[in-house]
Amino acid sequence: MSDGFLFLDQYVTVEAEARPHSQKEGILKRITIILAILLGIELFYYVGIVPFLPLASVRLNSVQGIPRDDLLRYAGINESTSYMSLNAAKVSETLRSIPSIASVSIIKHFPNSVDIVVTERTAVAVSLAKVSGKLVPIYIDRQGVVFKVGGEINSALPLVSGLVFDQVVPGIKLPGYLKNFFASLELLEKNNPALLQTISEFRIQQKTYGGYELVIYPANHMGKVRLGSELNEEVLRYMMLVLDVLASKGIQTDEIDFRTGTISYRTKEASSG
């Protein structure tokens, strides 16, 4: 009998120890389920609701002459615009239609913010055109786009003449064959601005059967210089060297022609080659 009582005592003890353990497991399961439900609700809110709510942040760099609110309004972004409703391609296309804007980069950050980086056009040359009977400055970028008409003339920019316009409005593009010329001006400005400052005027002379030639008016020398369509630092350096040599010999030229392999020049009194 004593053995039987001993067995019963052991059984009761084991059962008593197992009961709290099973209760702990039950509590942990309930906590886990509650946490999973809460996490699911939060995930649903984050993924299924927040992207449809108004944007929390729109980061946009400033654009000269255009207030931020006007820029956003033009792009169609307002207080109700959400991550899901914002069409990045359409916004980019709309902003790029503004003449002074060269490119637009849009990065959407899930779930409710967006970065808009606007790159403005930079003038590489200035020209003059008649608008309402008056000569006004027009500003041209490296791609040959007229993006600004009027205002104060920027004398630090190269002056380009000989351009022909059907109409003068911001956003017009000059003929494609002039694109390399304006790109060359930008490169000269970056690499050797002092050399570019030695030129008073670049004149575009249209050729009869298409294309163009350059007529250059140096700032510190009399007369003009005829070039082909190629413009780079080497050409300008060589041109200035020849001008300095002629000036040192007391030769005042009316015109120098660099279009062929042999340099020819004309003085005010006679021609020489």
Side-chain angles (χ1 to χ4, degrees):
M1 293 295 291
S2 60
D3 291 340
F5 283 114
L6 179 61
F7 174 78
L8 182 60
D9 289 342
Q10 290 175 346
Y11 176 78
V12 171
T13 302
V14 171
E15 184 179 7
E17 290 177 353
R19 192 176 299 154
H21 182 69
S22 62
Q23 289 177 349
K24 289 180 180 179
E25 286 185 348
I27 293 172
L28 287 175
K29 285 181 180 179
R30 284 193 289 271
I31 292 174
T32 301
I33 292 172
I34 292 172
L35 289 176
I37 292 173
L38 292 175
L39 182 61
I41 293 173
E42 184 177 358
L43 185 62
F44 173 75
Y45 177 77
Y46 187 79
V47 175
I49 296 179
V50 174
F52 294 90
L53 296 176
L55 290 167
S57 173
V58 178
R59 290 177 287 272
L60 171 66
N61 61 298
S62 60
V63 175
Q64 186 177 7
I66 307 177
R68 171 187 166 87
D69 290 344
D70 291 349
L71 205 59
L72 290 174
R73 191 179 306 110
Y74 188 78
I77 299 175
N78 52 43
E79 295 81 1
S80 63
T81 302
S82 67
Y83 177 91
M84 295 301 295
S85 67
L86 188 142
N87 186 327
K90 185 177 180 180
V91 170
S92 177
E93 182 181 0
T94 301
L95 291 177
R96 282 188 287 110
S97 68
I98 298 174
S100 62
I101 293 178
S103 64
V104 179
S105 174
I106 299 178
I107 303 175
K108 296 172 69 174
H109 299 283
F110 190 85
N112 62 350
S113 67
V114 62
D115 290 340
I116 303 176
V117 180
V118 175
T119 302
E120 298 181 72
R121 296 189 187 277
T122 302
V124 299
V126 62
S127 187
L128 297 172
K130 273 192 175 183
V131 177
S132 301
K134 295 181 180 180
L135 277 178
V136 297
I138 62 171
Y139 294 89
I140 307 164
D141 78 342
R142 68 181 307 275
Q143 296 179 325
V145 176
V146 175
F147 66 93
K148 181 182 177 182
V149 176
E152 295 293 328
I153 188 167
N154 186 346
S155 58
L157 291 171
L159 176 63
V160 178
S161 61
L163 300 174
V164 179
F165 303 96
D166 293 330
Q167 57 177 345
V168 184
V169 292
I172 62 172
K173 292 184 178 181
L174 297 176
Y177 59 78
L178 291 174
K179 188 174 180 179
N180 286 339
F181 167 67
F182 290 108
S184 297
L185 288 180
E186 181 192 44
L187 194 61
L188 282 166
E189 176 62 33
K190 287 181 179 179
N191 296 337
N192 198 334
L195 180 61
L196 195 58
Q197 290 297 316
T198 63
I199 307 302
S200 175
E201 178 185 343
F202 293 89
R203 182 170 183 80
I204 304 293
Q205 184 166 310
Q206 306 290 337
K207 297 173 72 174
T208 305
Y209 299 103
Y212 69 97
E213 292 178 341
L214 290 173
V215 179
I216 294 179
Y217 295 86
N220 300 318
H221 293 274
M222 297 295 292
K224 58 189 176 184
V225 178
R226 292 188 177 275
L227 297 178
S229 59
E230 184 179 8
L231 179 67
N232 55 50
E233 186 173 346
E234 183 181 355
V235 169
L236 287 186
R237 282 184 179 277
Y238 182 58
M239 182 194 77
M240 296 308 299
L241 175 62
V242 171
L243 288 172
D244 289 341
V245 169
L246 291 174
S248 68
K249 293 182 178 182
I251 301 174
Q252 294 186 351
T253 59
D254 183 53
E255 179 179 299
I256 304 178
D257 196 336
F258 283 81
R259 290 175 296 178
T260 62
T262 302
I263 299 172
S264 62
Y265 64 88
R266 185 178 68 226
T267 63
K268 293 183 181 298
E269 295 80 13
S271 297
S272 177

